[in-house]
Amino acid sequence: MRSSLTSANRAGWAFALPGIVLILAFIITPFFLGVGFSLTNQRLISPNATRFVGLENYREMLNIAVVDLQAKTDSAGKTVTDADGQAEFPRLRSITRNPDTPQYHGMQEWFRWVSGDTAHVVIASDVVFWKALLNTCIFVLMVAPIQAAIALGLALLINQKLRGITIFRTIYFMPVVVSIVVVSLLWRFIYSGQNGLLNNMLSFLSFAHFQPVDWLGNPHTALGAIITMSIWQAVGFHMVIWLSGLQTIPPTLYEAAAIEGSSKWQTFRYVTWPGLRHTAVLVLIVITMQAFAIFAQIDVMTKGGPLDSTQTLVFQAVQRGYGMQNIAGGSAISVILFLIVLVISMIQRWLTRER
């Protein structure tokens, strides 16, 4: 018995060894190398020797502050206004280049809001990083619930024994099997500000009253356009996961609910949704990880523009690591992204656990 068990274990480890080697070589080892590089000034190509800098890369990226600028006043103490009647404020460099405030040196304005005669200015050492972080969080918060809800709705629709239902399953799943690069190129043409399909359709439906919009060239619409495309492209994949969860629910539960006279909403709330609890955890975690890893859409459609309105953490990590040859900066962003995804996944698991 012991000999047979040992032989089986050896065979199992032999089959698993190639996979273990690949995981060690391409996932675990690069991860720890990235953590190490983030603590140095490592560059892709540089004549200078690599030097350990500790948490300096993280401090440089995460350094953010809010400063107040008081409106200018004249000799009589009245607020100075411009041609539009708005209060004038001193230039930000009066703080960021002031020897009395060395903690703000080199920092740039991100955004501001005015309250009375005071302008509250948010400044950061790395404004692009904070824009990328905000855009990534917005992307995740929009994509995760909407994509999960639409996928669940589609799964409920096709989870029926009807003639030709397989055709609809195929249609809904089709965008998933198409390369994301191809999908991004197609949607870039759809969003074109000149003769794009979306503008032409809206113009036709409004009887030519709709003015064409450059969806990817406008900072106010670019991120929303990419969010819409991303939801459409991957919703079929999560539909299949929901569908597999639906098919594990015993039909007898639905029969019992029908006998009790339950409405469709009551059946979904007390039978379907409790049976999908573990599937929901999987779907939310998968969508969250995929959303945080958004890169191809940005790279193909906007390159992070316009005005950094579509910058994301992964795009910034790649751009800094290879485009700017700043391996240390790109590694630091990757580590921050890993920690964010880890924490959010743990929170999602805690919120959806069985009580």
Side-chain angles (χ1 to χ4, degrees), residues 64-69 95 104 107 111 113 119-124:
I64 190 171
V66 179
V67 296
D68 295 335
L69 297 177
I95 294 179
Y104 299 139
M107 301 181 74
F111 63 92
W113 72 94
H120 307 281
V121 186
V122 178
I123 58 176

Side-chain angles (χ1 to χ4, degrees), residues 199-211:
N199 280 331
N200 288 334
M201 288 183 59
L202 293 175
S203 178
F204 173 78
L205 294 174
S206 63
F207 301 99
H209 287 85
F210 178 80
Q211 296 298 321

